[in-house]
Amino acid sequence: MTTYLLERALLPDGVHDDVHVEVVDGRFAAVEPGVLASAAERLNGLTVPGLANTHSHAFHRALRGRTQRERGSFWTWREQMYAVAERLDPDTYLALATATFREMVAAGITCVGEFHYLHHRPDGRPYDDPNAMGLALIEAARVAGLRITLLDTLYLSSGFGAPPEGAQVRYDDGSAEDWAARVDGLAGSDAALVAGALHSVRALPSEPGAALAPLAAWADGRPLHVHLSEQVAENDGCRAAYGVTPTRLLADHGLLGPMTSAVHATHLTADDIALLGEARAFASFCPTTERDLGDGVGPSRALRDAGARLTLGSDSHAVIDLFEEMRAVELDERLVSQQRGHWQAAELLEAATTTGHASLGWDDAGAIAVGMRADLVTLDTASPRTAGTGADEHTVVFAAGAADVTQTMVDGRIVFRQAEAGQVGRELATAIGKVWEL
């Protein structure tokens, strides 16, 4: 058993001072506000539950700072992303993902949903172990110290039935049945779950039911994530190919449900919003990537009011800072509506903690409460960003940033202290340099 005294902590019923917690076998065995325990290790600052990053492409971290040099578009950015995808093998992927996940724990992220489609060799042939690249991601998470839900992704087409081309041949398993057979060879653990994803409706064959039926059968009862309506061009292409919106296509084939996460969900019709709400689906918003790529602002509040549940991700890692993602949801709504007050701080923090973890299959994480996984993120409340802001949930959402994280604990193990930030940066520089052969 390990005991801690949290100077100030955000519990399910609000902020409390002097919170005594006991951790046994990686879970909270006691959480007692107002109890001074002299023998306990004291954590100064404001301590909050661990954050869940529900949408990540680890290898995109190599693009930061390199895609801003020309005006471009989502589609020109995609070509630069493909250039990175072509360079990676299991060893360089392991190094890059480990460094990227280390940046995440430094930012208070204790669990990641890794949307994984970089499956095979550059020419499309499987590795000797067909899951070598997925296993590299699971190992990277273990080394970095955070939990992972590996969202192994079905990708069969370069666009509405057209064959994969270029870097995309690495993504393709040939059929949904072959994809499922490969994924069934992956084993999870107490710190790693294996779940499914559909890259997008663009990645489906000309007869979408041939892929969607077996995907729905495989994913039954498990998290299923999908890029949904990220671009207007995706919606137009789906209507031209299949006669319906992407959301309606998924609904008609039984892929919308309470374990479905619609990633981005940016360009939706009123009917789309109603379908996602009725399904009690999750909506994984990634505001820093969506603004970086010029995607647009999704209807976050309308989705929530319809019954969908908000979660947050860092996606392409233009920024890895879920505090920024939280407040961006509200601030982006203000820009679109020219009104304030769409989201309360507590709602956004819930999206980044309990709801985010649930969307990744971890219902036992995201709160400082007895029986939950012992994830703790401690923030400096006297930094230039947080000083004088009240040291409560409003500080977390509307003032703090990743640089204010002083310590991160995952399943009762301390995986980051602020003094290690420089080392994390050096690891990133080395791993990214190898990708670009600098």
Side-chain angles (χ1 to χ4, degrees), residues 119 201 212 242 301 393 397:
H119 299 135
V201 296
L212 293 178
Y242 308 129
R301 191 71 233 184
E393 66 271 21
V397 175

Side-chain angles (χ1 to χ4, degrees), residues 106-108 320-324 327 379 400-406 416 418:
I320 294 180
D321 187 337
L322 283 199
F323 305 98
E324 174 63 21
R327 61 178 159 266
L379 300 172
D404 297 313
V405 174
T406 60
F416 171 77
Q418 198 170 45

Side-chain angles (χ1 to χ4, degrees), residues 52-68:
N53 184 351
T54 61
H55 190 65
S56 162
H57 302 289
F59 76 94
H60 290 191
R61 177 60 179 84
L63 292 167
R64 185 186 298 175
R66 297 173 181 273
T67 64
Q68 315 297 337

Side-chain angles (χ1 to χ4, degrees), residues 7-328:
E7 178 187 26
R8 192 165 172 83
L10 187 60
L11 305 185
D13 62 347
V15 175
H16 295 267
D17 292 325
D18 299 323
V19 178
H20 171 245
V21 299
E22 295 179 357
V23 177
V24 177
D25 294 332
R27 295 180 181 269
F28 295 116
V31 178
E32 302 169 310
V35 176
L36 295 174
S38 59
E41 179 180 346
R42 183 177 177 86
L43 301 183
N44 293 318
L46 174 62
T47 298
V48 301
L51 307 178
N53 184 351
T54 61
H55 190 65
S56 162
H57 302 289
F59 76 94
H60 290 191
R61 177 60 179 84
L63 292 167
R64 185 186 298 175
R66 297 173 181 273
T67 64
Q68 315 297 337
R69 300 171 189 180
E70 298 177 6
R71 185 171 180 177
S73 66
F74 170 86
W75 308 102
T76 57
W77 170 88
R78 189 176 71 160
E79 293 305 314
Q80 294 172 295
M81 180 268 287
Y82 286 163
V84 176
E86 290 173 338
R87 293 170 176 262
L88 294 169
D89 60 31
D91 291 335
T92 52
Y93 206 18
L94 172 61
L96 177 58
T98 300
T100 302
F101 293 159
R102 285 268 284 152
E103 183 179 0
M104 289 186 195
V105 296
I109 293 165
T110 57
C111 182
V112 62
E114 182 61 28
F115 201 99
H116 167 55
Y117 51 80
L118 196 56
H119 299 135
H120 307 300
R121 299 178 193 269
D123 62 2
R125 290 181 299 118
Y127 287 99
D128 292 340
D129 183 333
N131 285 306
M133 297 292 269
L135 291 170
L137 291 166
I138 292 172
E139 175 64 8
R142 186 194 68 79
V143 173
L146 79 172
R147 291 186 302 278
I148 186 172
T149 297
L150 186 71
L151 298 161
D152 200 292
T153 304
L154 177 65
Y155 192 112
L156 302 175
S157 169
S158 64
F160 304 104
E165 56 188 28
Q168 298 166 348
V169 300
R170 302 195 74 171
Y171 314 161
D172 182 20
D173 284 294
S175 70
E177 290 81 2
D178 288 342
W179 167 83
R182 178 181 55 75
V183 180
D184 283 340
L186 283 164
S189 70
D190 186 59
L193 295 179
V194 177
L198 171 65
H199 180 273
S200 61
V201 296
R202 299 196 316 271
L204 290 171
S206 55
E207 293 295 331
L212 293 178
L215 176 61
W218 186 92
D220 186 32
R222 307 187 223 193
L224 177 68
H225 291 223
V226 55
H227 293 135
L228 187 73
S229 293
E230 182 178 4
Q231 293 284 323
V232 172
E234 174 187 322
N235 290 351
D236 293 344
C238 188
R239 288 191 180 96
Y242 308 129
V244 293
T245 67
T247 303
R248 172 57 70 179
L249 182 71
L250 297 182
D252 288 348
H253 288 83
L255 273 90
L256 288 190
M259 291 303 292
T260 304
S261 284
V263 181
H264 303 303
T266 305
H267 302 284
L268 302 178
T269 67
D271 181 59
D272 293 337
I273 293 170
L275 288 170
L276 290 163
E278 290 166 5
R280 292 283 294 150
F282 297 99
S284 176
F285 273 47
C286 308
T288 63
T289 288
E290 289 148 9
R291 71 189 183 204
D292 179 62
L293 297 179
D295 287 345
V297 177
S300 64
R301 191 71 233 184
L303 282 164
R304 171 66 177 257
D305 292 345
R309 293 165 289 169
L310 179 70
T311 70
L312 299 164
S314 62
D315 191 5
S316 69
H317 313 313
V319 175
I320 294 180
D321 187 337
L322 283 199
F323 305 98
E324 174 63 21
E325 306 291 351
M326 280 187 265
R327 61 178 159 266

Side-chain angles (χ1 to χ4, degrees), residues 331-342:
L331 298 181
D332 286 354
E333 285 270 15
R334 294 180 186 183
L335 287 174
V336 171
S337 68
Q338 300 179 52
Q339 294 180 334
R340 294 164 59 104
H342 301 273

